[in-house]
């Protein structure tokens, strides 16, 4: 198997840089966003998703890749309101376990959320596809959405979370009918943090323009439990009844990078 990294243990995140040198560079993600040090930038426009509400007619593939659950997205989903136009590739989740309260990758003032969704896009003005773009400084844009537990079930997230039971093992995948991806996002797309960083997994390329929404999206406690209990990373872990959990990287040094906010 090519991707031989894990979050903890002998191939854990402190050692990623031995195999993937970029993971030890100076503009890594995620970060702890310290709101006292964020610069308000009034000229930052709201993020404008195009085609998120009806993402085509092709089925979407939902896959357990052993590190996360990932949903493929069509290139007809585009992102405006950034310095370039970006096309969507996939979205995936990071989450914790029932032992911890955390699970998100980004933090705000030292506080982690129970989970975080990433919608990965590539700069389609300049590059033909993700492979071409992923190692370029202006190659990628990722939207980060914090998930918080609320009182009610979020039907948009059920489109994904209700199917995790069908992809319990690593490398299993299923097809989903397209659904409204906009509804996975928080209500207000005008309030976000913006900074330059990296992929949060190996190879940790420093190619990502990050947009982390200020407001979380809400899912129910039962929905969060599905994320925490349904998946396994390997057959061995399934036999041991170990679930795929705690797939988040710890916050990285900011090293004097500016973090902007679109709101005062
Ligand atoms: C996910 O996050 C995906 C990656 C994605 C990273 O974990 O899955 C894995 O890393 C496990 C194999 O997606 C892919 O590998 C499919 C292309 O990396 C990319 O999207 C590479 C361009 C990192 O993305 S993140 O920084 O948003 N967390
Ligand atoms: Zn991610």
């Amino acid at each position: 198997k090519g991707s031989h990294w894990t979050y903890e243990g002998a191939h854990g995140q402190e050692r990623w840089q031995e195999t993937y040198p970029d993971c030890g560079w100076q503009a890594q993600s995620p970060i702890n966003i310290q709101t006292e040090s964020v610069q308000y930038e009034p000229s930052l426009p709201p993020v404008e998703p195009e085609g998120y509400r009806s993402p085509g007619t092709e089925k979407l593939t939902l896959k357990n890749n052993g590190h996360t659950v990932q949903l493929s997205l069509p290139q007809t989903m585009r992102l405006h309101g950034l310095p370039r136009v970006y096309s969507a590739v996939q979205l995936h989740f990071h989450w914790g376990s029932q032992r911890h309260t955390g699970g998100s990758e980004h933090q705000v003032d030292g506080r982690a959320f129970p989970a975080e969704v990433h919608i990965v896009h590539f700069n389609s003005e300049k590059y033909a596809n993700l492979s071409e773009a992923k190692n370029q400084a202006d190659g990628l844009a990722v939207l980060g959405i914090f998930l918080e537990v609320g009182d009610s079930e979020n039907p948009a997230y059920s489109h994904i979370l209700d199917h995790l039971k069908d992809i319990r093992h690593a490398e299993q995948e299923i097809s989903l009918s397209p659904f409204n991806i906009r509804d996975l996002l928080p209500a207000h797309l005008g309030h976000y943090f913006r900074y330059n960083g990296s992929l949060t997994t190996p190879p940790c390329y420093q190619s990502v323009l990050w947009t982390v929404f200020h407001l979380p999206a809400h899912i129910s406690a039962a929905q969060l439990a599905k994320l925490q209990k349904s998946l396994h990373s390997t057959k061995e872990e399934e036999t041991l009844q170990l679930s795929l959990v705690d797939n988040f990287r710890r916050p990285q040094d900011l090293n004097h990078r500016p973090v902007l906010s679109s709101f005062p």
Side-chain angles (χ1 to χ4, degrees), residues 52 73 87-92 118-122 130 140-143 199:
Y52 276 48
L73 297 171
S87 291
V89 182
Q90 52 107 333
L91 66 80
H92 61 267
H118 290 156
I119 312 185
V120 179
H121 304 72
F122 73 94
L130 177 74
L140 305 182
V142 181
L143 300 182
L199 298 174

Side-chain angles (χ1 to χ4, degrees), residues 101-243:
T101 51
S104 66
E105 297 213 293
H106 288 93
Q107 299 183 5
V108 178
D109 292 328
R111 184 187 167 227
F113 289 78
E116 184 172 337
V117 178
H118 290 156
I119 312 185
V120 179
H121 304 72
F122 73 94
N123 178 345
S124 48
E125 281 188 33
K126 230 171 139 174
Y127 305 106
N129 50 50
L130 177 74
S131 326
E132 251 186 47
K134 67 184 178 194
N135 196 19
Q136 306 292 333
D138 59 355
L140 305 182
V142 181
L143 300 182
I145 301 141
F146 292 125
L147 296 185
E148 181 65 286
V149 171
D151 293 331
S152 47
E153 180 174 308
N154 184 326
Y157 279 92
S158 290
H159 284 285
I160 297 171
L161 301 175
D162 286 355
H163 296 282
L164 299 183
K165 56 180 179 358
D166 303 319
I167 50 169
R168 291 183 170 281
H169 323 291
E171 302 305 317
Q172 275 186 317
E173 58 180 54
I174 53 166
S175 293
L176 299 186
S177 296
F179 61 95
N180 186 334
I181 303 291
R182 169 63 184 88
D183 288 347
L184 300 176
L185 273 50
H188 296 286
L189 303 185
H191 287 196
Y192 58 82
F193 302 104
R194 167 69 48 76
Y195 78 100
N196 280 103
S198 73
L199 298 174
T200 66
T201 63
C204 304
Y205 296 141
Q206 292 185 167
S207 55
V208 180
L209 182 61
W210 276 96
T211 301
V212 178
F213 290 109
H214 179 51
L215 289 179
H218 289 88
I219 59 174
S220 68
Q223 287 183 303
L224 179 64
K226 284 182 184 172
L227 198 50
Q228 293 172 333
K229 287 180 181 170
S230 302
L231 305 179
H232 305 279
S233 58
T234 60
K235 251 253 126 9
E236 294 72 46
E237 294 205 347
E238 186 174 11
T239 311
L240 296 166
Q241 294 190 308
L242 295 174
S243 297

Side-chain angles (χ1 to χ4, degrees), residues 32-36 107-111:
N32 173 28
I33 298 165
Q34 289 180 290
T35 54
E36 285 292 288
Q107 299 183 5
V108 178
D109 292 328
R111 184 187 167 227

